Amino acid sequence: MSQDKYILAIDQGTTSSRAIVFDHNGQIVSSGQLEHEQIFPRAGWVEHDPKEIIRNTNEAIGQALSRANINRHQLEGVGITNQRETTVVWDKNTGEPVYNAIVWQDTRTQKIADELGGDEGADKYKDRVGLPLATYFAGPKAKWILDNVDGAREAAENGDLLFGTMDSWVLWNLTGGVNGGVHITDVTNASRTMLMNIDTLDWNEEIAADMGIPMSMLPEIKSCSEIYGYGAKNTLLIDTPICGILGDQQAATFGQACFEKGQAKNTYGTGNFMLINTGTEPVASKNGLLTTVAYKIGEDDAVYALEGSVAVTGSLVQWIRDNLGLIKDAPEVEVLAKQVEDNGGCYIVPAFSGLFAPHWESDARGVIVGLTRYVNKNHIARAALESVAFQSREVLDAMNLDSGVELTELKVDGGMVANETLMQFQADLLGVPVIRPEVIETTALGAAYAAGIAVKFWSGEEDVKNNWHEDKRWEPEMDDETVARVYRLWNKAVDKSKGWVDEDVEELYG
């Protein structure tokens, strides 16, 4: 057994929980991963079982350590990254969730968002929290649980319940749960609740009161890189410092070394998330983007970002596999797409949870348009891939307008960047180079770096920059006229998806 030292990153994602061991060069040594069930009780509702996630997280840690042939004594620290906005409410005395985790994609809180906005509308809290009122964010999800689960509100007001995003749930359990578990979140996850003041980085008591969320439920807000607690005696991480937390998209931004103002990355996962570093002052968006915290290292000033969030990208490929049965596995979508030169006039707008950035249209729903007898499954596969790139182009256009700086290149990461057909089309649409790093697991890597910096395993941002290496880049090849035409047709397709949900059918189909 080697005596080298490592950092462990826990990546609690939308579809799976992973544990990855990284060495000092930022290279993957080993990993463990388990998928968890996606629960769809009704149209528009998406849930996870929080206890299944904790079981899977613990098992993934065991897999990663055993595959690396190391034990916890060789871990200098542990970082956590997580699916953001997904919300858990649990009893601090028993450790039992009062309801399943409500996932970020879930749309059941639309009426709550409308009621909270009242005459002021979706931007009621935006100047304070950087976010519009939307089903996406965690605060309204917590309100739904307290409003709809028998006994939950009374228990919350008695001080018996805790609220958190998945980072808080994982950390509380790893540090002892009912036996001394610490109830903490970091600034990046807190900035996705609609409850944190974006400038002062503390909880807004007035907004919490509007949502009926007692302050006693809320975790303490910490930086992304400091020691929060230690692994509990009944875990594989006994006495190991848990010392880094970043929401998944901020973690990827950190792992991609986007430390300079104007640097941007795009993550291709269940959804797509593009972030641009805007420096140490929050920038308000006029074009449908979110103002969010990018990272805060210890006592250093917080660094902010503008974010464009796209709800459905990789999950569209899953839908084509699982719901339509057109492919047997995700990589097959590229095999089909390469059989044809273009989409045959077919466009897919996957507004399964409404449209996120830059539209924020909750009553939109998915459409497939432009169908003729000529269109076959190859064209549909290609249209699915292209929809990922089109949605990212919309976000980049908004980003250029808000930041006042034209992006000159885009760093990319996430599972879909292995799809070279998609990456080339993305470069064509954006008109700038698209660059993939050697380590595409930048989400887990960012959390590892935050943890490692806290315990001086890495000295700081310079080490992160030095570890980042380019793997491949795609240069734009498509002529301007073709780009303009396909993007014009995409925008026509988006218009067709809007205003779909009528009140009398919302109960039936979400």
Side-chain angles (χ1 to χ4, degrees):
M1 184 177 283
S2 125
Q3 290 307 306
D4 292 337
K5 297 293 188 178
Y6 305 95
I7 295 288
L8 178 73
I10 294 166
D11 180 358
Q12 201 299 291
T14 306
T15 57
S16 69
S17 300
R18 299 187 300 169
I20 302 180
V21 176
F22 288 97
D23 65 17
H24 196 267
N25 294 323
Q27 296 295 312
I28 293 172
V29 176
S30 68
S31 66
Q33 179 172 6
L34 289 96
E35 289 194 5
H36 53 263
E37 183 184 3
Q38 306 296 310
I39 302 165
F40 305 105
R42 287 176 48 180
W45 293 28
V46 190
E47 298 176 2
H48 295 155
D49 177 354
K51 296 183 75 175
E52 180 191 12
I53 283 174
I54 289 301
R55 289 194 302 272
N56 287 358
T57 299
N58 286 324
E59 190 171 339
I61 292 168
Q63 289 177 352
L65 294 178
S66 63
R67 289 167 184 170
N69 196 28
I70 63 172
N71 60 35
R72 49 104 175 175
H73 294 291
Q74 290 168 263
L75 296 179
E76 291 284 279
V78 178
I80 297 171
T81 184
N82 58 290
Q83 50 167 326
R84 303 167 306 168
E85 301 94 18
T86 296
T87 300
V88 191
V89 173
W90 70 97
D91 188 313
K92 70 179 185 183
N93 305 306
T94 66
E96 292 293 319
V98 302
Y99 190 79
N100 276 338
I102 300 181
V103 179
W104 57 273
Q105 301 153 310
D106 189 286
T107 59
R108 78 185 70 185
T109 55
Q110 185 58 53
K111 285 182 180 169
I112 289 174
D114 293 342
E115 287 165 7
L116 287 168
D119 295 337
E120 296 171 75
D123 287 344
K124 180 177 180 179
Y125 303 128
K126 195 171 184 184
D127 60 335
R128 286 175 277 176
V129 302
L131 312 171
L133 271 160
T135 60
Y136 185 19
F137 305 110
K141 298 181 196 298
K143 173 175 168 53
W144 187 95
I145 291 172
L146 296 183
D147 288 348
N148 289 277
V149 176
D150 287 346
R153 183 161 296 285
E154 183 183 2
E157 287 167 357
N158 288 340
D160 292 328
L161 299 189
L162 300 178
F163 152 74
T165 42
M166 297 308 292
D167 57 304
S168 298
W169 171 244
V170 170
L171 179 67
W172 188 79
N173 279 280
L174 289 179
T175 53
V178 295
N179 298 309
V182 296
H183 190 40
I184 284 170
T185 191
D186 83 299
V187 288
T188 67
N189 280 291
S191 74
R192 315 299 291 199
T193 60
M194 298 206 77
L195 298 169
M196 188 189 82
N197 295 306
I198 196 68
D199 50 354
T200 55
L201 309 181
D202 54 2
W203 296 121
N204 186 301
E205 293 192 31
E206 182 186 345
I207 297 174
D210 286 354
M211 295 190 192
I213 299 171
M215 298 298 292
S216 61
M217 295 180 70
L218 300 181
E220 185 180 357
I221 300 173
K222 297 277 196 176
S223 82
C224 305
S225 181
E226 61 182 277
I227 295 175
Y228 314 113
Y230 296 85
K233 302 296 184 191
N234 64 337
T235 72
L236 291 171
L237 303 176
I238 306 168
D239 298 333
T240 307
I242 302 176
C243 45
I245 301 176
L246 286 153
D248 53 9
Q249 303 314 318
Q250 286 93 338
T253 306
F254 201 81
Q256 285 273 38
C258 293
F259 300 135
E260 305 298 324
K261 195 171 174 180
Q263 289 186 322
K265 70 88 201 175
N266 198 20
T267 296
Y268 297 73
T270 303
N272 263 36
F273 303 89
M274 193 183 297
L275 276 78
I276 186 169
N277 183 324
T278 60
T280 54
E281 296 291 328
V283 174
S285 173
K286 297 184 175 71
N287 295 283
L289 302 179
L290 308 175
T291 303
T292 196
V293 181
Y295 57 90
K296 183 181 188 307
I297 300 303
E299 297 297 319
D300 295 351
D301 289 342
V303 173
Y304 292 89
L306 283 169
E307 175 177 335
S309 309
V310 176
V312 179
T313 54
S315 54
L316 173 59
V317 177
Q318 285 181 322
W319 180 79
I320 286 173
R321 180 193 68 194
D322 299 339
N323 293 45
L324 299 188
L326 289 184
I327 55 176
K328 292 186 176 66
D329 54 35
E332 192 182 346
V333 76
E334 184 176 19
V335 175
L336 295 184
K338 288 170 76 170
Q339 305 300 312
V340 289
E341 291 184 5
D342 55 36
N343 62 19
C346 172
Y347 290 79
I348 301 175
V349 182
F352 297 157
S353 302
L355 289 168
F356 281 23
H359 306 279
W360 298 106
E361 299 260 359
S362 61
D363 60 357
R365 286 297 178 268
V367 296
I368 304 177
V369 299
L371 294 178
T372 62
R373 287 289 299 274
Y374 171 69
V375 170
N376 60 37
K377 69 177 184 179
N378 300 326
H379 296 110
I380 289 171
R382 191 171 190 96
L385 287 185
E386 291 184 353
S387 78
V388 176
F390 281 125
Q391 291 178 97
S392 295
R393 163 71 190 268
E394 290 180 324
V395 167
L396 184 68
D397 287 350
M399 221 163 247
N400 286 338
L401 287 169
D402 271 337
S403 67
V405 180
E406 293 285 318
L407 201 69
T408 57
E409 63 180 32
L410 183 66
K411 292 179 174 179
V412 298
D413 53 69
M416 292 188 84
V417 300
N419 190 312
E420 305 216 351
T421 304
L422 170 59
M423 292 297 101
Q424 182 59 56
F425 189 71
Q426 187 71 88
D428 291 341
L429 270 189
L430 300 183
V432 299
V434 167
I435 302 169
R436 182 175 71 194
E438 281 184 0
V439 179
I440 64 170
E441 298 295 354
T442 54
T443 302
L445 183 57
Y449 282 139
I453 289 169
V455 292
K456 308 224 167 3
F457 183 73
W458 288 293
S459 59
E461 293 174 11
E462 206 57 43
D463 278 350
V464 180
K465 287 183 197 170
N466 292 338
N467 280 351
W468 189 93
H469 299 289
E470 179 179 317
D471 172 49
K472 182 164 183 177
R473 71 170 55 209
W474 289 266
E475 299 284 349
E477 294 176 353
M478 191 178 286
D479 64 88
D480 292 347
E481 187 178 339
T482 303
V483 171
R485 174 172 51 78
V486 297
Y487 194 44
R488 184 187 78 240
L489 291 170
W490 164 260
N491 283 308
K492 283 176 69 175
V494 170
D495 286 341
K496 302 293 184 193
S497 77
K498 294 180 179 178
W500 187 260
V501 178
D502 295 329
E503 201 167 321
D504 64 338
V505 296
E506 188 171 9
E507 291 298 313
L508 292 172
Y509 306 117

